[in-house]
Amino acid sequence: MDTTDEMNTGRRIMNELMGDGYVEKKDQNRNSFNDVIQDYSAEVCFGRVWAREDIDRKTRSIINLAILTALNRPAQLAHHVEGAVRNGCTVAEIKEVLLQTAVYCGLPAAGEAFKVAEGVLRTGGHLD
């Protein structure tokens, strides 16, 4: 697979994970300064890593929820909670990932992650 193929694959996967039109909306903020990081994300993160078939997307989502909780990255976590639901994660599984992360990464990071995930899940109609 060459760079162009990886870029196109990455853009397709981003739309599959984050919803139709995600890439097009993201492209509206593209400029001559940030284009390199946007290309890197599409090509490497999604076009190479997310495209691998070694583990399924649900498992990748679970790993990302744990990582983003540990790093206390709420904006990215919100996107990945939405993606996790699209990839088949249940509310109970998301809750358990965040709780397990609290054990190893601490309550402050996990507490924030629970707030973010709850907001995303409630907005998406997945919570009462």
Side-chain angles (χ1 to χ4, degrees):
M1 190 179 308
D2 70 24
T3 302
T4 302
D5 288 342
E6 290 169 339
M7 183 76 66
N8 291 334
T9 297
R11 291 173 63 84
R12 178 184 49 77
I13 290 172
M14 281 192 281
N15 272 336
E16 290 170 6
L17 295 174
M18 307 321 172
D20 290 334
Y22 175 82
V23 171
E24 293 74 16
K25 184 177 178 184
K26 189 174 176 179
D27 283 345
Q28 292 173 2
N29 295 318
R30 178 182 283 273
N31 59 49
S32 62
F33 183 74
N34 69 26
D35 62 343
V36 294
I37 195 67
Q38 289 199 28
D39 289 348
Y40 180 84
S41 176
E43 179 186 338
V44 176
C45 179
F46 294 96
R48 292 184 194 170
V49 176
W50 275 87
R52 292 174 58 82
E53 296 179 7
D54 297 333
I55 59 174
D56 61 41
R57 288 186 179 178
K58 180 178 176 179
T59 303
R60 287 191 196 284
S61 285
I62 288 170
I63 293 166
N64 280 318
L65 294 177
I67 291 167
L68 293 169
T69 298
L71 295 173
N72 197 15
R73 304 298 299 189
Q76 292 83 2
L77 179 63
H79 288 297
H80 281 275
V81 169
E82 291 173 1
V85 170
R86 280 189 197 88
N87 286 331
C89 289
T90 66
V91 170
E93 289 169 329
I94 292 169
K95 183 178 177 180
E96 288 302 314
V97 169
L98 301 182
L99 182 60
Q100 185 71 24
T101 308
V103 171
Y104 293 98
C105 299
L107 193 54
E112 182 66 21
F114 266 90
K115 288 178 195 172
V116 169
E118 182 178 0
V120 170
L121 294 169
R122 193 170 303 288
T123 298
H126 304 286
L127 295 177
D128 301 330

